[in-house]
Amino acid sequence: EAWERSGKHEAAITAWNEALVLLSEVEQAGLSDEGTVMAARLRRHLALAERDRGNFDTAVSHLSAGLAALASREPGRELVDLLYTRSQILSRLGDVAGVAATTEELLSLAERLGSPGAEGQANLAASFFHLWQNDIARAHEHAERALVNGESGAEGQDTAICCRAYILLAAIGL
């Protein structure tokens, strides 16, 4: 992530792809159970980097690979992150049906997980979706829920979720 934060996106993409190859070798040797989650996380980073470069099809491919990798595992936060990212990228592609389905899947998953962080992300995605669809009342409802989720995390306040919720509430007009 350091490469990306310093603006060296090509170096970040190269490092993440190299890490995917290494993780694949580790998994094939049966040396790591966490390799699948780490690979999914790398796929999410690659998807975001490709999105930033305007390579949306490549971004969607990385997300699909990450989601497929996690399909046989118990759902957790990495799945939430992948679905949230998919909703963002599909919205950039104008895929209303895809965003709607992803948002519903994300809301359902977050409820099952019972994590304020996951619920916060799901409510942010739902708020963005409803704002995009000009359903201001539902967008406001989900933004308020995201704010509550962000303020009530077991590990304290989730500043990122709270900030995004406040931005949405400001865009909606409180």
Side-chain angles (χ1 to χ4, degrees):
E1 290 180 36
W3 288 114
E4 186 180 39
R5 288 184 184 147
S6 65
K8 297 180 178 166
H9 300 289
E10 293 301 322
I13 290 170
T14 299
W16 290 327
N17 278 315
E18 289 172 359
L20 276 174
V21 170
L22 291 173
L23 281 172
S24 176
E25 291 170 3
V26 166
E27 282 189 321
Q28 287 176 3
L31 299 175
S32 173
D33 185 43
E34 290 303 311
T36 304
V37 175
M38 291 175 8
R41 187 173 299 129
L42 288 169
R43 292 285 186 184
R44 184 172 52 83
H45 286 298
L46 284 163
L48 290 168
E50 293 296 349
R51 175 205 63 191
D52 292 346
R53 295 169 61 188
N55 299 328
F56 296 105
D57 289 339
T58 304
V60 170
S61 293
H62 280 299
L63 290 172
S64 295
L67 290 165
L70 294 178
S72 64
R73 296 184 64 90
E74 282 293 315
R77 188 59 189 255
E78 196 56 48
L79 181 56
V80 171
D81 290 342
L82 282 166
L83 290 171
Y84 182 79
T85 302
R86 184 169 72 179
S87 74
Q88 292 176 322
I89 291 172
L90 291 178
S91 71
R92 291 283 301 270
L93 292 170
D95 184 350
V96 176
V99 176
T102 300
T103 300
E104 286 305 314
E105 184 178 356
L106 187 53
L107 286 165
S108 174
L109 173 61
E111 185 177 330
R112 282 195 323 263
L113 293 175
S115 157
E119 290 177 7
Q121 266 186 293
N123 279 305
L124 286 173
S127 182
F128 279 117
F129 174 72
H130 291 301
L131 185 59
W132 182 36
Q133 297 304 300
N134 205 29
D135 186 344
I136 304 304
R138 290 185 75 191
H140 186 267
E141 173 187 332
H142 283 286
E144 283 187 335
R145 285 184 193 167
L147 182 58
V148 169
N149 295 135
E151 291 175 338
S152 64
E155 298 170 2
Q157 181 174 346
D158 187 326
T159 306
I161 290 175
C162 289
C163 286
R164 289 183 190 128
Y166 279 124
I167 290 168
L168 277 166
L169 288 168
I172 293 166
L174 298 175

